[in-house]
Amino acid sequence: SSPAIIMMNHISAIDPILCMGAVTNRFVIPMTKIENAQNWFFNFFIWWWGSYTVRRGEIDRKALMNSIELVKASQMILLAPEGTRHPEGLVEAKDGLAYIATKSDAIVIPTGIAGATDWKERLLKFQRPRIRVNFGRPFRLKAVGERVPREVLTAMSHEAMYQLALAVPDESLRGFYSDVSKATTNYLEFV
């Protein structure tokens, strides 16, 4: 199994479950916010799924190193490059995904989710939510040396996010990356 990262847009609480359920040929290890580990209910699922935590709003070096080590060990991890939920659409990404991908030579699989924002309301009305999980074109980020300059990491992040935007089935959820004509692939190598 190749080292891999599933990058998803994050529009609802059930997104990680949807992505993990859509990948049937491999075990997926999700990254989750540290606050979930402090909740007795969620903590059980974090333990059960083998999740690992990240402190949002800061550079969490432990989470970055955990991600890199998992991927180097040929695991498949799941993360949201925006850092938190954005039901209104994609926002500008953090550089963590690009950092992890360049340090681990991982294959990145953009995974777009649509229709999950109103899943609770639909269930309460006994309606089936119309959720779609769509996998985009897998890619690697091209090696640019041992130390990747910050501006290159940011450019890589934007290129990766445009690939995620193309994978999001609902164009209204592409947000910051909605003008896909601006998508470049200078640092991407499709696999």
Side-chain angles (χ1 to χ4, degrees), residues 15-36:
D15 298 338
I17 298 164
L18 296 171
C19 286
M20 290 165 38
V23 176
T24 57
N25 60 339
R26 290 194 58 185
F27 183 75
V28 179
I29 302 169
M31 178 189 278
T32 187
K33 61 185 177 181
I34 191 87
E35 294 87 349
N36 285 340

Side-chain angles (χ1 to χ4, degrees), residues 117-156:
T117 50
D118 63 349
W119 68 274
K120 281 190 265 184
E121 293 81 7
R122 285 185 168 276
L123 284 177
L124 289 172
K125 294 177 186 173
F126 299 103
Q127 297 173 340
R128 175 184 243 171
R130 288 177 176 72
I131 298 171
R132 291 180 24 209
V133 178
N134 187 49
F135 295 104
R137 287 177 71 191
F139 60 87
R140 277 195 169 90
L141 292 172
K142 292 178 185 171
V144 293
E146 184 60 34
R147 188 144 173 83
V148 181
R150 169 72 60 195
E151 62 275 5
V152 174
L153 265 182
T154 300
M156 289 175 160

Side-chain angles (χ1 to χ4, degrees), residues 7 80-83 86 90-98 150 153-154 156-162 164 176-177:
M7 66 178 294
E82 302 162 280
H86 289 281
L90 294 173
V91 299
E92 196 167 1
K94 312 260 188 274
D95 291 338
L97 170 91
R150 169 72 60 195
L153 265 182
T154 300
M156 289 175 160
S157 296
H158 287 305
E159 288 191 352
M161 287 301 288
Y162 275 112
L164 178 57
F176 186 83
Y177 300 94

